[in-house]
Amino acid sequence: MKIIYKILMISSVLLFFSCSAEITFEAEKDSCVKISYTGDFSGEFLQFMMSQNGEISDLGQKDFENSELDNQALKESLENSGFENVQIVSGKLKKLIFKMEDKSKKSALFMTNLLKMQNGTISVDFSYENLKKFYDNADEQLQSDLDLLLAPVFNDEKMSETEYLETVAAFYGDKMADELAESFIKLIIINADGKKQVQKISIPKLLCGM
């Protein structure tokens, strides 16, 4: 079974809203940035969020995890977000894998200063200000999808991680809050000179503005 849902626009520009995600940014000498993404979208919190768009039926967890995205729709979504040479390696929700490039620096990652590159050196800045800038420049549908996260960073609020997770629990239940609490993004940055950096960032921390 293949499904399409608008929430994928989030992954196409920010890339970190799966329960666990690994993203590699690799700088090339010609100023191109290669991006590799692996994410798990099979968790209950993501399943709930996607169901709010009315684009998936009530599937059992096993059926949901084995579902596949419409690869062509995802590819077009990423290309429309400014990425090039998009390759969908695996379209399964349990293990979504794609690769792409940003040669022109016109993707939302660069336009909102979440990602910068100078002289072959990549820097990532998921600051409160940059994430808020991304939200403010998103279209109405994407803002609506992001609002489901109840994230302080998108609502111009200040909140601790504990307060944020308590808010999620109040709206969506303890199980989904516990799942979100354990969610993370692993960033691998490889500069043009071959130097490598690895960061592991808590998603609740990210959504509270680091």
Side-chain angles (χ1 to χ4, degrees), residues 84-102:
E84 303 167 84
N85 296 331
V86 178
Q87 301 175 50
I88 311 300
V89 180
S90 169
K92 286 187 177 293
L93 286 171
K94 185 64 178 175
K95 194 170 186 180
L96 176 62
I97 304 173
F98 53 82
K99 300 178 180 180
M100 55 197 179
E101 298 177 355
D102 191 333

Side-chain angles (χ1 to χ4, degrees), residues 12 19 21 23 43 56 59 68 76 84-85 87 92 96 116 119 139 163-164 171 176 186 194 210:
S12 74
C19 296
I23 306 169
I56 63 172
L59 299 173
E68 292 188 21
E76 290 176 2
E84 303 167 84
N85 296 331
Q87 301 175 50
K92 286 187 177 293
L96 176 62
K116 295 180 181 179
N119 299 324
D139 62 32
E163 290 171 328
Y164 171 53
F171 276 82
M176 280 193 273
K186 181 180 179 182
M210 300 290 286

Side-chain angles (χ1 to χ4, degrees), residues 13-14 16 25 83 102 105-118 121-135 137 187 189 206 210:
V13 289
L14 286 183
F16 51 64
F25 296 116
F83 298 106
D102 191 333
K105 309 298 185 295
K106 291 183 179 179
S107 72
L109 289 171
F110 280 97
M111 297 297 286
T112 57
N113 295 321
L114 293 169
L115 193 67
K116 295 180 181 179
M117 187 170 76
Q118 185 174 13
T121 298
I122 296 174
S123 60
V124 176
D125 184 7
F126 290 146
S127 66
Y128 186 102
E129 292 75 16
N130 288 344
L131 289 172
K132 184 64 169 61
K133 180 180 179 182
F134 165 75
Y135 178 88
N137 285 279
L187 291 179
I189 299 171
L206 195 69
M210 300 290 286

Side-chain angles (χ1 to χ4, degrees), residues 26-207:
E26 183 174 1
E28 298 289 293
K29 292 182 179 179
D30 60 358
S31 80
C32 171
V33 176
K34 290 186 175 181
I35 302 168
S36 300
Y37 174 89
T38 301
D40 178 359
F41 278 79
S42 63
E44 185 172 333
F45 188 66
L46 268 296
Q47 184 174 355
F48 168 79
M49 287 177 61
M50 291 183 284
S51 70
Q52 300 309 292
N53 285 297
E55 298 182 22
I56 63 172
S57 58
D58 293 328
L59 299 173
Q61 183 65 25
K62 184 176 180 180
D63 290 336
F64 183 83
E65 291 181 0
N66 289 328
S67 295
E68 292 188 21
L69 305 176
D70 185 311
N71 288 352
Q72 185 59 36
L74 176 56
K75 185 174 185 290
E76 290 176 2
S77 173
L78 291 164
E79 290 172 343
N80 290 338
S81 297
F83 298 106
E84 303 167 84
N85 296 331
V86 178
Q87 301 175 50
I88 311 300
V89 180
S90 169
K92 286 187 177 293
L93 286 171
K94 185 64 178 175
K95 194 170 186 180
L96 176 62
I97 304 173
F98 53 82
K99 300 178 180 180
M100 55 197 179
E101 298 177 355
D102 191 333
K103 297 180 179 179
S104 59
K105 309 298 185 295
K106 291 183 179 179
S107 72
L109 289 171
F110 280 97
M111 297 297 286
T112 57
N113 295 321
L114 293 169
L115 193 67
K116 295 180 181 179
M117 187 170 76
Q118 185 174 13
N119 299 324
T121 298
I122 296 174
S123 60
V124 176
D125 184 7
F126 290 146
S127 66
Y128 186 102
E129 292 75 16
N130 288 344
L131 289 172
K132 184 64 169 61
K133 180 180 179 182
F134 165 75
Y135 178 88
D136 290 340
N137 285 279
D139 62 32
E140 185 176 345
Q141 180 59 59
L142 182 52
Q143 286 185 346
S144 178
D145 289 336
L146 290 170
D147 286 341
L148 292 172
L149 293 165
L150 307 175
V153 72
F154 298 136
N155 295 301
D156 202 20
E157 296 180 64
K158 295 293 184 180
M159 193 181 294
S160 69
E161 292 174 57
T162 299
E163 290 171 328
Y164 171 53
L165 291 171
E166 288 174 348
T167 300
V168 171
F171 276 82
Y172 299 137
D174 291 337
K175 188 173 182 179
M176 280 193 273
D178 291 343
E179 183 179 282
L180 184 61
E182 297 176 357
S183 300
F184 66 90
I185 174 175
K186 181 180 179 182
L187 291 179
I188 301 173
I189 299 171
I190 304 173
N191 294 321
D193 61 5
K195 290 183 179 179
K196 182 177 180 180
Q197 304 173 43
V198 180
Q199 302 177 48
K200 188 174 180 179
I201 304 173
S202 158
I203 289 181
K205 181 177 180 180
L206 195 69
L207 296 177

